[in-house]
Amino acid sequence: QVQLVESGGGLVQAGGSLRLSCAASGSIFSINAMGWYRQAPGKQRVLVASISRGGNTDYADSVKDRFTISRDNAKNTVYLQLNSLKPEDTAVYICNANVRPTYSNSRNDYWGQGTQVTVSS
């Protein structure tokens, strides 16, 4: 089994900052890409940022220059630094990891349970 556990969400005023963390644990052989998605009420889940094992990053246009994704491969952890937050950033932020478990030769996508980020105006 593989588990992803997020932390760091909360309530912040517009212009403020938060740092999200997501730790993967369990029967992990290797982790390829990791990423953060978000889902606002009544809307589809969308990709916010992703990072390869080697550190290549990609961002949604709406968060470029405000959010920074990073990872610590030794800790199987991915981070998302959220700066200059706007009310429209309010959503549940969900961690994703592409993992090869120890018990399989194939890779699968795993998801965390999500952490709420609320930005007040």
Side-chain angles (χ1 to χ4, degrees):
Q1 294 290 345
V2 175
Q3 300 85 32
L4 301 181
V5 179
E6 300 104 333
S7 60
L11 173 64
V12 64
Q13 289 187 333
S17 298
L18 286 172
R19 189 187 193 216
L20 308 183
S21 300
C22 172
S25 62
S27 304
I28 297 171
F29 180 81
S30 64
I31 302 177
N32 191 13
M34 303 184 81
W36 289 93
Y37 289 71
R38 68 186 181 187
Q39 187 166 18
K43 295 188 177 181
Q44 290 187 331
R45 183 178 298 186
V46 296
L47 178 64
V48 174
S50 64
I51 184 168
S52 69
R53 182 170 182 82
N56 293 321
T57 59
D58 192 24
Y59 296 92
D61 287 343
S62 59
V63 306
K64 280 181 181 177
D65 301 323
R66 298 190 298 121
F67 292 6
T68 302
I69 189 170
S70 60
R71 65 189 285 175
D72 184 332
N73 291 332
K75 296 181 179 180
N76 290 335
T77 300
V78 63
Y79 306 95
L80 187 67
Q81 179 67 40
L82 295 72
N83 295 331
S84 302
L85 281 160
K86 304 175 181 180
E88 51 263 43
D89 294 319
T90 295
V92 176
Y93 284 70
I94 305 156
C95 173
N96 167 267
N98 185 255
V99 178
R100 179 187 167 187
T102 57
Y103 49 82
S104 173
N105 288 327
S106 62
R107 294 187 173 276
N108 299 294
D109 279 333
Y110 293 86
W111 299 87
Q113 81 287 354
T115 185
Q116 178 70 45
V117 171
T118 302
V119 185
S120 62
S121 57

